[in-house]
Amino acid sequence: MAMANNKTQCFKCNKEKITYPCEGCSQRFCFTDLTEHKQILNEELNHIINNYDEFKQRINEQKQNPQNHLLIKQINQWERSSIGKIQQKAQECRKLVIESSQVFINEIEIKFNYLSEQIKQIHKENEFNEINLSYLTNQLKTITEELNDPTKISIEQNSQSFINEISIISSIKQKWGKWKQNAMTVAAGNEQGEGLNQLKFPFGIFIDKKKNIFIADCWNHRIVKWKHNAKKGHIIAGGNGQGNRMDQLNEPTDVIVDQQDHSIIIADRGNRRVIRWAHRNQQILIHNTDCSRLTMDKHGFLYVSDTAKNAVRRWKMGEYNNEGIVVAGGNGKGDKLNQLNSPNFIFVDENQSVYVSDNENHRVMKWKKDAKEGTIVAGGNGQGRNLNQLSSPQGVIVDDLGQIYVADCYNHRIMRWYEGNEEGEIVVGGKDAGNKSNQFNHPSGLSFDDEGNLYVADFFNHRIEKFEIILRMEF
């Protein structure tokens, strides 16, 4: 005879067992879970009893101590909060004054150092007249007046509120600040490959005003344009296999956009040529050059670094049928101030000073216009990972304050140097090689967009990273 099945599902463990009802919640529990359920109810009862006792104690306390009334406490809290706000506001304003003053002093110091270099040059050449002296006097007077200008930083008071609030008003602008340490991948990042959502060892990058990214996709032998927020790029040059035909590229290492006609200019390194692409029409600008990287200044002059000749040359727009003018290096391979050793990325500032990543010398050099030798502005203390060293530097950019940003390739970090300082500082990276959002694996190209966000070509991770800027001060 079969045993009667009087088992039902336990509400707690959901198993078929002999169960018992709870009159309070109308659910059925097995013996084990019913015991636990009752224990929970007992704990809740004890909690209610404790709350009751606490409430009774509060009534007695308020009767005996009227100063502990809730409204009195609120008044006391208002008093403390008001004092705290004043102290906090004062501390914030002190910090802003110190930071703002430091930025201001740095700007003045840059101008003063530039003036000092002019004075040294004039004194060295021993050729000057009244016009030169008048110019130097006026320049010194100008920066002196700027240093002593009391309107640069002032206090503005608001007397309408009960607690007078103060805020810092400054005409000094913080050009670049700090960046988030975790990047967003804005192009590729899907391992190496030739798909439109992939890259294969990207070198140079260029960001236009619409935040479109132009990428020298080196081992895919193509230039890819990645529109802002796009999931994949599209090929705008090359992409027809490795070769030397006019519609082919061979390991391109850099790309820039000519703002005049919106064409792109490519360092087609494997073919030893600089080539212009405009709407699928190609034109070779420079032949037989070991072009490593390139850039263009605001006047339309084209600059190309030549690794074989250890030089940077400049060409005037439309005049590419000559050897160009040497603007840095060109005195053989070496580590003297008039030499370079495997130059790659270059940057040209408003004064046509040329900054060069002097790769094998592990330094960044600055060559002023028409200078016969350069000056070391970053690294130059041998290969290493100390803050005064670089290891095979790649991308280089200089901001409006003269701050120099360097892709410190073998140290997997981006550094910032102030010209004249003995050491640089780490901007992002520096966590050893890796593929996390705060790591690089041999960074190469660098670029800023108009908002100051930093873009990095992460070479061995086959991706482009974007670091959003954090503004330290608002004026």
Side-chain angles (χ1 to χ4, degrees):
M1 181 174 131
M3 183 178 295
N5 184 9
N6 59 350
K7 297 181 180 180
T8 57
Q9 189 179 57
C10 174
F11 177 76
K12 180 70 180 298
C13 67
N14 295 322
K15 295 180 179 179
E16 294 290 331
K17 293 183 177 182
I18 297 174
T19 58
Y20 307 89
C22 172
E23 295 181 357
C25 64
S26 300
Q27 302 293 344
R28 300 186 69 85
F29 299 84
C30 66
F31 182 81
T32 301
D33 290 333
L34 181 63
T35 303
E36 183 179 348
H37 183 62
K38 288 183 177 180
Q39 181 64 34
I40 292 172
L41 295 179
N42 285 331
E43 291 175 359
E44 291 181 358
L45 176 60
N46 291 333
H47 183 68
I48 292 172
I49 293 172
N50 289 336
N51 287 343
Y52 172 84
D53 292 338
E54 289 177 6
F55 185 80
K56 184 177 180 180
Q57 183 178 354
R58 287 176 60 191
I59 292 176
N60 292 334
E61 286 178 353
Q62 289 194 17
K63 288 173 65 177
Q64 297 173 7
N65 302 294
Q67 288 295 326
N68 291 337
H69 191 281
L70 181 60
L71 294 179
I72 297 296
K73 289 185 176 180
Q74 289 181 357
I75 293 171
N76 294 341
Q77 180 59 40
W78 171 84
E79 182 182 27
R80 289 192 297 270
S81 177
S82 297
I83 295 172
K85 286 180 180 178
I86 293 172
Q87 292 174 334
Q88 181 180 357
K89 191 67 177 181
Q91 184 60 27
E92 290 174 355
C93 289
R94 291 188 194 100
K95 182 180 178 181
L96 285 174
V97 168
I98 292 170
E99 292 181 342
S100 184
S101 297
Q102 190 59 53
V103 173
F104 174 56
I105 291 298
N106 287 341
E107 287 186 329
I108 294 295
E109 189 176 25
I110 290 171
K111 294 177 182 178
F112 177 75
N113 290 338
Y114 179 71
L115 183 60
S116 296
E117 289 296 324
Q118 291 179 301
I119 294 173
K120 290 179 182 177
Q121 188 66 27
I122 290 174
H123 188 267
K124 179 180 179 181
E125 295 175 353
N126 198 26
E127 292 183 6
F128 55 93
N129 53 38
E130 289 84 351
I131 296 176
N132 301 126
L133 297 178
S134 177
Y135 166 79
L136 295 175
T137 301
N138 289 333
Q139 288 296 308
L140 183 59
K141 181 180 179 182
T142 298
I143 62 175
T144 301
E145 290 174 350
E146 189 174 351
L147 179 63
N148 296 329
D149 187 0
T151 64
K152 283 289 184 180
I153 307 175
S154 60
I155 290 179
E156 181 181 78
Q157 294 194 31
N158 179 6
S159 60
Q160 299 302 313
S161 60
F162 176 72
I163 301 172
N164 291 346
E165 291 195 5
I166 61 174
S167 58
I168 301 300
I169 307 298
S170 175
S171 62
I172 304 165
K173 301 298 181 182
Q174 179 70 21
K175 300 290 184 180
W176 306 111
K178 296 182 178 179
W179 288 262
K180 292 181 179 179
Q181 294 302 294
N182 292 296
M184 299 184 296
T185 299
V186 291
N190 301 298
E191 298 184 346
Q192 63 172 299
E194 58 185 21
L196 292 179
N197 67 340
Q198 294 177 305
L199 297 170
K200 195 171 184 180
F201 300 107
F203 266 107
I205 55 176
F206 183 94
I207 314 296
D208 68 11
K209 293 182 179 180
K210 295 181 180 179
K211 296 187 177 65
N212 298 316
I213 310 170
F214 297 79
I215 308 166
D217 191 9
C218 183
W219 283 24
N220 280 325
H221 315 291
R222 67 190 185 184
I223 304 299
V224 180
K225 179 180 179 181
W226 217 285
K227 290 186 177 180
H228 182 51
N229 290 332
K231 298 299 182 183
K232 61 182 181 179
H234 67 276
I235 301 168
I236 58 173
N240 299 304
Q242 182 179 14
N244 60 7
R245 296 197 316 259
M246 290 296 287
D247 66 339
Q248 292 180 308
L249 297 173
N250 184 358
E251 297 186 2
T253 52
D254 208 357
V255 58
I256 59 174
V257 177
D258 187 341
Q259 303 293 342
Q260 299 295 324
D261 58 9
H262 303 290
S263 64
I264 61 172
I265 302 175
I266 306 163
D268 189 12
R269 186 172 184 180
N271 286 323
R272 301 187 69 247
R273 66 189 182 186
V274 176
I275 187 169
R276 182 197 298 272
W277 284 60
H279 308 295
R280 295 291 178 176
N281 296 318
Q282 302 86 38
Q283 175 192 5
I284 298 176
L285 302 181
I286 304 170
H287 297 264
N288 301 320
T289 177
D290 288 279
C291 50
S292 176
R293 311 293 189 271
L294 48 80
T295 192
M296 183 176 286
D297 68 19
K298 65 178 182 178
H299 303 291
F301 287 95
L302 180 65
Y303 299 73
V304 180
S305 57
D306 188 323
T307 52
K309 296 180 179 178
N310 294 292
V312 177
R313 284 182 166 81
R314 182 183 71 200
W315 280 265
K316 188 176 181 181
M317 184 186 300
E319 298 181 3
Y320 301 114
N321 56 353
N322 53 44
E323 291 295 318
I325 299 173
V326 175
V327 293
N331 296 297
K333 179 190 295 187
D335 59 1
K336 296 179 181 177
L337 293 181
N338 68 340
Q339 293 178 310
L340 298 170
N341 188 352
S342 190
N344 51 57
F345 283 94
I346 46 181
F347 180 90
V348 181
D349 68 12
E350 294 289 311
N351 300 314
Q352 294 184 305
S353 293
V354 179
Y355 296 78
V356 189
S357 281
D358 192 8
N359 188 265
E360 295 299 321
N361 283 326
H362 312 291
R363 65 189 186 184
V364 175
M365 299 290 289
K366 176 183 179 180
W367 292 65
K368 293 182 179 179
K369 184 179 179 182
D370 300 326
K372 300 302 181 184
E373 62 180 32
T375 57
I376 301 171
V377 293
N381 296 297
Q383 183 177 15
R385 61 185 308 165
N386 295 325
L387 292 180
N388 68 339
Q389 294 177 305
L390 296 171
S391 182
S392 297
Q394 293 284 324
V396 58
I397 305 176
V398 183
D399 68 19
D400 293 342
L401 290 178
Q403 299 171 126
I404 304 153
Y405 298 80
V406 188
D408 191 8
C409 184
Y410 281 24
N411 286 324
H412 316 291
R413 64 191 184 185
I414 308 302
M415 299 286 289
R416 174 168 58 190
W417 293 66
Y418 294 87
E419 185 174 345
N421 283 11
E422 294 296 326
E423 294 183 346
E425 59 179 326
I426 299 173
V427 174
V428 289
K431 309 290 184 182
D432 293 326
N435 60 6
K436 295 180 181 178
S437 61
N438 65 345
Q439 291 180 306
F440 299 114
N441 194 342
H442 295 81
S444 55
L446 291 181
S447 189
F448 286 119
D449 64 22
D450 287 344
E451 295 177 358
N453 300 307
L454 176 62
Y455 296 74
V456 183
D458 194 3
F459 188 72
F460 277 107
N461 283 325
H462 316 287
R463 66 188 182 183
I464 308 301
E465 299 288 83
K466 174 184 177 182
F467 293 86
E468 291 185 332
I469 190 169
I470 304 171
L471 295 177
R472 291 185 293 177
M473 295 183 288
E474 293 183 1
F475 298 111

